[in-house]
Amino acid sequence: MTEVVIYTDGACSGNPGPGGWGVVLRWNNTEKELHGGDPVTTNNRMELMAAIQALEGLRGIEEAASMVRSGQ
């Protein structure tokens, strides 16, 4: 079974402040990038949003997944 490796990160400038999140999913020589943001948010919210969106991004990918968080 091929593995999907997921990299996530989220941050904001100020707490609260403008922030963003990003995700990279890698499997079978394929890479999928996801990203988003919010004009008024917190660092914790962006970190969690990255993980949530990563899991949403797995829809339709029939492989096992492991997640690598920022700072790990």
Side-chain angles (χ1 to χ4, degrees), residues 20-52:
W21 56 268
V23 173
V24 176
L25 300 122
R26 290 186 181 156
W27 75 101
N28 289 341
N29 297 320
T30 303
E31 188 170 281
K32 181 177 181 180
E33 295 181 9
L34 307 170
H35 58 86
D38 196 310
V40 180
T41 189
T42 65
N43 189 68
N44 287 347
R45 184 168 176 250
M46 292 295 95
E47 291 281 2
L48 289 170
M49 186 58 69
I52 291 165

